[in-house]
Amino acid sequence: MASNPSDESKLRSGRWFDPDSLRGFGHRSRLKGMGYDDQDYRGKPVVAILNTWSDLNTCHSHFPERVQEVKRGIWQMGGFPVEIPVMSLGEMMMKPTTMLYRNLLAMETEEALRCHPIDAAVLMGGCDKTVPAMIMGAISADLPAIFLPAGPMLKARWKDQTLGSGSDAWKYWDERRAGNLCDEAWGEIENCIARSAGTCMTMGTASTMAAIAESMGLTLPGASSVPAVISEHSRLAVATGRRAVQLAQEKLCPSDLLTPESFDNAIVTSMAIGGSTNAIVHIIAMARRAGFDLTLERFDELSRTTPVLANIRPAGKFLMEDFFDAGGLTALLKQLGEHIQGSCQTVNGSTLAENIARAEVIDPDIIRSTGDPISPTGGTFVLRGNLAPSGCIIKPTAASPRLLEHTGSAVVFDTYAELKAKLNDPDTGITPDSVLILRNAGPQGGPGFPEWGMLPIPDHLLKQGIRDLVRISDARMSGTSYGTCVLHVAPEAAVGGPLALVRNGDMIQLSIKERRLDLLVDDQELAQRRKSWSAPKPKYERGYGAMFLKHVTQADAGCDFDFLHHGEETPDPEIY
Ligand code: FES
């Protein structure tokens, strides 16, 4: 968005506040009605703080305090702070899934920036989808913007165990279903597993996306690893506010920073941290907003050469607080050496290489070197085959090695409700070699692409000590989940992808070595089955849900709305 087509040296907000006109009078008089003098804002950069706080976003409960700290930084540098609340996507409470609303927050971010007298913005997000959503919106608005990550929670302790939110909740829930955990112990875990404000403290989607934002140059250096409730996080908030004022003066926009190399850095970072599988969908969506036609092929290429260096759950052993103490993301990026393109510009005015030059690894078990990685190749693999012609993904570092080359017979569930109803029914016949399939759980089918991809293990197998099966779906899974879960199968079943044609007892072959997923049924038989297939009835006939179903793209295209991809510039509003 051009700041001011007639005079690039002027502030954009001046279009609202400078003119000696009825409108200018109205804008100024209403600020005065709020108690501000000319000295507070005239001629000063107006910095919006887009705040995704809500009482039902458990991960952002420290944002009311942080907002004041961001404002302090903005005042310090001679800016005028304005807080603008935007939709809060709290992962734990929102149903059916926050992914249904990622694009809505992206639209709100873009339009809130465009329609107000704003010269720069601080984007306050953290819980999973808030990160890509705000960045997608800021890329499309193309006003100077800097991201402030919420930061992870402190790590939790239960008896002598260190607990990670998400991952350990799944783990102990399985133990409870297996009969190994009493009510009292389960209650104790509930009391302690979420220890503070902040995002999930594993390398889940929130920490992954924060790291990606930093690797793309959209945060201050080191910002993505700082725990939510320590004093460094407060100082980070103040510093972010200060920098936002300078961004307004420098008119440094996302389009000045983001290049194809920035997105390569995002991909390499997500692989090297063993990050959430969700990152793939979000990176593609952000890249396409920036005008780069990123495809799964690039993820496949970079995953083959990028080592996993972060020893963080669910792919590793430690938690985000340990990662911060071990040196944080800047240290990890430095360890990556030539895998990272250091010449990319970042929001603090320096290159990525300059930002990480002095970073140090404090604990080499937590942040590994390329010579001693957790895994020699990337954390997320892209698979293809006749069951996923447009691709699917798996996180092998979170899977069981014994299942990475596996052929088994399919047990198919058409809906999550059916899965819940039948999973423990002995007649379903699930064995340790079965391949569980959940379909109609993709962007259209879910709808909204829910995190159902870590299908539960049946109770009778848990009691036998089985903790993993090959599971395939067109859904996503939480970044804190684990297991041999093949996800994001595209095209999804609800639009007629081959997953829709699988029947109970069909043999399915997964080969991580070959990076393939195949349905071992001949083409003639599949053609016959296709003749009898019909699309499920759309769940939403009205409202936002209907718009979502009409315009959402498939997983391999980022699940953005088709009309929000990069294209013609949207004009700045006229002020009559
Ligand atoms: Fe918010 Fe995990 S629930 S980051």
Side-chain angles (χ1 to χ4, degrees):
M1 193 190 300
S3 54
N4 183 340
S6 62
D7 185 345
E8 289 295 329
S9 69
K10 284 189 181 167
L11 292 169
R12 178 175 180 267
S13 59
R15 296 176 59 218
W16 276 255
F17 298 128
D18 292 348
D20 183 13
S21 65
L22 181 59
R23 284 284 172 229
F25 165 87
H27 301 145
R28 293 188 298 271
S29 64
R30 292 304 170 111
L31 281 186
K32 285 178 178 166
M34 292 168 66
Y36 292 115
D37 276 328
D38 285 341
Q39 290 86 334
D40 285 314
Y41 72 95
R42 290 294 295 271
K44 296 185 173 184
V46 178
V47 179
I49 307 164
L50 265 54
N51 187 355
T52 51
W53 172 85
S54 98
D55 266 338
L56 286 176
N57 189 332
T58 55
C59 304
H60 297 181
S61 59
H62 55 319
F63 275 12
E65 199 182 314
R66 292 294 171 274
V67 144
Q68 299 311 320
E69 290 154 350
V70 174
K71 285 184 179 176
R72 199 164 89 217
I74 294 168
W75 286 122
Q76 281 173 7
M77 291 300 284
F80 179 59
V82 291
E83 182 182 352
I84 300 179
V86 289
M87 188 176 196
S88 181
L89 306 180
E91 201 66 30
M92 297 309 292
M93 303 291 177
M94 286 183 78
K95 306 291 180 235
T97 164
T98 51
M99 189 61 185
L100 186 65
Y101 299 106
R102 183 200 67 179
N103 297 346
L104 188 58
L105 174 57
M107 291 170 81
E108 189 185 7
T109 299
E110 176 181 348
E111 300 304 330
L113 292 175
R114 181 176 290 120
C115 70
H116 288 115
I118 288 169
D119 299 304
V122 174
L123 312 172
M124 289 181 64
C127 192
D128 294 19
K129 315 303 180 296
T130 57
V131 186
M134 297 185 99
I135 292 175
M136 287 159 71
I139 290 172
S140 294
D142 204 26
L143 277 173
I146 183 168
F147 189 77
L148 174 63
M153 283 183 235
L154 297 180
K155 55 189 178 182
R157 295 287 294 172
W158 176 60
K159 299 187 189 288
D160 63 345
Q161 301 289 310
T162 300
L163 299 186
S165 56
S167 303
D168 280 316
W170 310 118
K171 181 176 128 185
Y172 285 107
W173 176 238
D174 279 352
E175 293 308 319
R176 181 162 166 76
R177 289 199 297 136
N180 300 333
L181 206 62
C182 66
D183 288 352
E184 193 188 353
W186 183 239
E188 286 169 7
I189 293 172
E190 182 177 303
N191 286 343
C192 72
I193 198 165
R195 185 166 166 218
S196 72
T199 53
C200 293
M201 70 290 240
T202 56
M203 192 56 85
T205 305
S207 293
T208 300
M209 291 311 302
I212 285 169
E214 181 173 339
S215 70
M216 288 163 64
L218 299 176
T219 73
L220 289 180
S224 65
S225 318
V226 183
V229 294
I230 65 172
S231 59
E232 278 97 325
H233 200 271
S234 293
R235 295 199 296 274
L236 170 69
V238 181
T240 301
R242 279 198 299 263
R243 180 60 192 152
V245 179
Q246 295 171 325
L247 285 180
Q249 289 156 339
E250 295 164 15
K251 296 186 165 47
L252 191 65
C253 297
S255 59
D256 298 316
L257 301 175
L258 298 177
T259 61
E261 290 73 30
S262 321
F263 288 99
D264 276 356
N265 284 342
I267 297 170
V268 167
T269 300
S270 75
M271 299 291 171
I273 59 179
S276 163
T277 48
N278 289 319
I280 293 187
V281 177
H282 300 320
I283 294 172
I284 291 174
M286 293 187 293
R288 291 185 178 203
R289 289 292 186 106
F292 308 122
D293 192 18
L294 186 60
T295 63
L296 286 177
E297 272 62 43
R298 192 62 183 146
F299 289 84
D300 189 35
E301 285 163 18
L302 292 173
S303 77
R304 289 172 190 268
T305 55
T306 308
V308 180
L309 301 185
N311 191 3
I312 309 293
R313 295 185 211 176
K317 190 164 138 202
F318 297 95
L319 291 170
M320 285 305 295
E321 194 181 333
D322 305 309
F323 185 61
F324 173 70
D325 291 339
L329 188 74
T330 49
L332 181 135
L333 293 177
K334 192 171 176 194
Q335 292 291 74
L336 279 167
E338 289 182 355
H339 292 281
I340 284 292
Q341 308 198 44
S343 61
C344 290
Q345 286 299 318
T346 76
V347 80
N348 73 338
S350 304
T351 63
L352 193 57
E354 288 163 347
N355 287 344
I356 63 178
R358 291 171 53 202
E360 243 187 288
V361 173
I362 310 297
D363 186 333
D365 187 25
I366 299 174
I367 299 176
R368 301 291 185 88
S369 66
T370 51
D372 178 31
I374 296 293
S375 156
T377 52
T380 306
F381 285 3
V382 175
L383 313 177
R384 294 202 187 261
N386 73 349
L387 198 47
S390 301
C392 61
I393 60 169
I394 187 169
K395 187 172 177 177
T397 47
S400 303
R402 72 180 173 86
L403 293 172
L404 294 178
E405 302 296 317
H406 183 81
T407 302
S409 98
V411 177
V412 183
F413 302 98
D414 279 324
T415 64
Y416 199 77
E418 185 190 348
L419 167 81
K420 274 180 77 181
K422 291 193 182 161
L423 185 74
N424 290 314
D425 179 346
D427 291 346
T428 311
I430 300 171
T431 73
D433 289 330
S434 296
V435 174
L436 301 193
I437 293 194
L438 173 66
R439 62 189 171 201
N440 301 314
Q444 294 273 344
F449 211 7
E451 292 184 337
W452 292 337
M454 190 175 85
L455 278 61
I457 308 294
D459 288 352
H460 72 278
L461 293 185
L462 287 174
K463 285 176 186 148
Q464 290 170 32
I466 303 294
R467 294 290 182 271
D468 197 7
L469 297 173
V470 173
R471 292 162 270 180
I472 299 171
S473 73
D474 45 16
R476 296 177 302 116
M477 78 174 180
S478 160
T480 60
S481 300
Y482 50 84
T484 312
C485 303
V486 179
L487 309 156
H488 306 193
V489 170
E492 64 179 307
V495 299
L499 200 63
L501 308 180
V502 183
R503 291 186 180 165
N504 283 328
D506 286 349
M507 296 306 283
I508 294 191
Q509 186 170 41
L510 169 68
S511 172
I512 299 303
K513 221 182 305 160
E514 302 293 326
R515 302 209 179 192
R516 285 196 66 86
L517 181 69
D518 288 296
L519 173 60
L520 305 181
V521 173
D522 67 52
D523 291 347
Q524 220 177 354
E525 167 65 16
L526 290 178
Q528 279 303 323
R529 292 183 191 180
R530 182 164 294 287
K531 283 184 194 158
S532 57
W533 178 81
S534 58
K537 189 173 170 308
K539 185 160 186 182
Y540 300 114
E541 301 281 2
R542 66 165 298 281
Y544 173 75
M547 186 179 90
F548 182 94
L549 290 178
K550 191 162 170 207
H551 293 288
V552 71
T553 60
Q554 288 289 288
D556 58 307
C559 297
D560 202 357
F561 292 150
D562 49 14
F563 60 89
L564 291 174
H565 289 167
H566 188 74
E568 291 301 308
E569 194 177 325
T570 307
D572 231 7
E574 296 295 336
I575 301 168
Y576 298 108

